[in-house]
Amino acid sequence: RAAGLPLRGGTSSRGLQDVITLAESPIGWPVPSRGPLPGIAARLPSARTLDGRAPAEEDGSFLGVDPSGRPVHHPLDRRTRHLAVIGAWGAGKSTAMYSLCLDDLRHGRPFVWIDPHGTTADLLVSWARHLGADPVVLDVRDGATDRMRVLDRLRPGPAALERIQAQARRLGDAISASLPNPEWTGPRFFMTWHAFCELVAAHGVELVDGVTWAGDPAVLARLVAHEAISAGARSTLLNLTRTNDGRDVLGWATSKAHPLIGGTVRRVVAGAGRGLDLRRVIRQGRPIIANLAGLSPGEAGFLGHLLLDSVLAERMDNPDPARVLTCYVDEAHRFPAAGLSAMTVEGRKFGVALCFATQALSQLPPGMADLVTAAETHLLFRATTDTASRLAPLAGLAPS
């Protein structure tokens, strides 16, 4: 008993952390407001003032302090050579990336943060708004989330049609890359998918509406007559509804797009011609924070790949090497290797940096694991034996 009240579960064979629960601590043990707990030796830390100002930008991004207390920075001119953060669960990977990203916020640098857990994304959103930034926040758990545009509205004319076809191709690539086996898609899928996207973009609706129309041949025959839809797409869609085999193909193709049509991702994806144009957002330099908590692995992989592809496509069309944009990807092994590999290989030429975290090289596909070693900077926290043996030679160390 303490303070005359019984402690839940008794005290035999239990440590102090088991005896005092959050509910019992105010009544079960009179915890003092100052000083250590009675009978427990402790040394109170000395008070210190935290400096909320950003470090000088010419020093680079602040990472922490070395054993002697001197600050350690990552030079900004090394960003586009990419940075890999590797270590065991809870070792500090997300914290290190968060420190770099917070430095970007303080200095007004553009970035994209992709977080499958959500906790750090929430912190960054709070900081961004506190510092007066105007972040784009994609969060399926938030009813007021921003929504991204994946298809423009299709208008008559070759230029508009070419743009929609490019967007359909990127969507199809993201769908294919996020599948357990990308070979599950093929030429027939992409042909069907491109025609489907033209239908949706011409009428300015969501993809799920297009699926509903495709199930009714009479409705589809009327809607594909839209003047903006190409003759090839019109023929493809009509042929898919005339035979049982065609309807099977349509069902097969749309099933691959489940994240966009029936999944939770729909909450952050707007209908054609609506929502935020991410490429414009990237040109404006606004931070993009994607909280993927609550998504299935396939949905998270699809959205993460689509974001990375949007960044690279925009910068390839409008290079800006002087204004480095950093893509932060936590738990990189959860995302398709194709998008990460393209960012690693092509990003530097267009002012795009990749900073990603994973627990071990063994978690990554073979091709992506090889690209990790190509990153110029590696931060290791309690690395596995395999990871340490592969990366030690890069640091001039001999693995023991």
Side-chain angles (χ1 to χ4, degrees), residues 199-248:
L199 172 69
V200 169
H203 292 278
V205 297
E206 296 190 17
L207 288 163
V208 67
D209 298 315
V211 173
T212 302
W213 295 341
D216 189 328
V219 171
L220 186 62
R222 175 171 53 85
L223 294 173
V224 296
H226 194 288
E227 61 178 341
I229 297 177
S230 66
R234 186 177 298 115
S235 174
T236 297
L237 291 170
L238 289 175
N239 287 335
L240 288 173
T241 62
R242 287 172 177 160
T243 65
N244 289 334
D245 287 344
R247 285 188 285 272
D248 288 343

Side-chain angles (χ1 to χ4, degrees), residues 1-364:
R1 292 175 180 270
L5 295 173
L7 292 169
R8 189 182 309 148
T11 59
S12 60
S13 302
R14 300 173 73 203
L16 182 62
Q17 71 272 19
D18 300 315
V19 175
I20 301 179
T21 68
L22 289 176
E24 293 164 341
S25 58
I27 57 175
W29 190 307
V31 179
S33 60
R34 295 179 181 275
L37 290 173
I40 300 178
R43 181 170 60 86
L44 294 178
S46 58
R48 59 186 180 133
T49 302
L50 296 177
D51 186 357
R53 295 172 300 173
E57 188 166 15
E58 59 269 18
D59 294 334
S61 298
F62 178 72
L63 282 172
V65 296
D66 66 11
S68 64
R70 292 176 300 183
V72 176
H73 296 85
H74 184 248
L76 294 177
D77 61 359
R78 299 295 187 183
R79 278 282 185 99
T80 55
R81 297 177 185 268
H82 310 306
L83 188 150
V85 187
I86 308 170
W89 181 85
K93 303 185 300 297
S94 298
T95 302
M97 292 207 306
Y98 171 71
S99 178
L100 291 170
C101 194
L102 191 56
D103 189 69
D104 288 343
L105 262 178
R106 287 168 168 159
H107 287 101
R109 304 186 202 107
F111 68 85
V112 175
W113 180 273
I114 302 175
D115 185 2
H117 298 304
T119 305
T120 311
D122 289 337
L123 289 173
L124 284 172
V125 171
S126 298
W127 266 110
R129 290 171 176 162
H130 172 72
L131 294 172
D134 183 20
V136 170
V137 182
L138 303 174
D139 186 349
V140 298
R141 307 168 306 168
D142 184 357
T145 181
D146 290 320
R147 302 185 77 195
M148 58 189 289
R149 182 190 309 172
V150 295
L151 289 172
D152 289 334
R153 187 72 186 270
L154 178 58
R155 308 292 182 186
L161 180 60
E162 183 178 349
R163 185 170 62 253
I164 294 300
Q165 290 175 340
Q167 292 171 342
R169 185 165 54 251
R170 285 197 293 272
L171 277 174
D173 288 342
I175 291 169
S176 179
S178 63
L179 292 173
N181 184 353
E183 293 183 1
W184 290 353
T185 57
R188 178 174 281 190
F189 165 79
F190 284 99
M191 181 178 68
T192 305
W193 179 251
H194 284 200
F196 196 70
C197 287
E198 281 192 42
L199 172 69
V200 169
H203 292 278
V205 297
E206 296 190 17
L207 288 163
V208 67
D209 298 315
V211 173
T212 302
W213 295 341
D216 189 328
V219 171
L220 186 62
R222 175 171 53 85
L223 294 173
V224 296
H226 194 288
E227 61 178 341
I229 297 177
S230 66
R234 186 177 298 115
S235 174
T236 297
L237 291 170
L238 289 175
N239 287 335
L240 288 173
T241 62
R242 287 172 177 160
T243 65
N244 289 334
D245 287 344
R247 285 188 285 272
D248 288 343
V249 169
L250 181 59
W252 167 78
T254 54
S255 70
K256 302 294 183 287
H258 171 75
L260 275 172
I261 294 172
T264 312
V265 171
R266 285 180 54 200
R267 298 178 186 173
V268 295
V269 174
R274 288 173 281 172
L276 291 169
D277 181 350
L278 286 188
R279 297 188 60 165
R280 179 178 297 176
V281 169
I282 292 165
R283 287 195 296 273
Q284 293 170 341
R286 294 173 61 188
I288 300 173
I289 303 172
N291 186 334
L292 308 186
L295 293 179
S296 69
E299 292 173 331
F302 165 80
L303 191 56
H305 180 94
L306 191 60
L307 287 169
L308 292 176
D309 185 68
S310 297
V311 170
L312 194 56
E314 169 57 29
R315 280 302 183 96
M316 290 177 75
D317 288 345
N318 299 285
D320 191 2
R323 192 182 194 192
V324 175
L325 186 157
T326 303
C327 294
Y328 296 92
V329 184
D330 203 0
E331 302 291 341
H333 53 275
R334 298 189 180 193
F335 298 94
L340 294 166
S341 297
M343 187 72 71
T344 305
V345 174
E346 302 289 345
R348 182 185 177 191
K349 295 178 285 188
F350 304 101
V352 179
L354 179 64
C355 177
F356 61 95
T358 190
Q359 295 182 25
L361 292 182
S362 59
Q363 289 185 309
L364 298 170

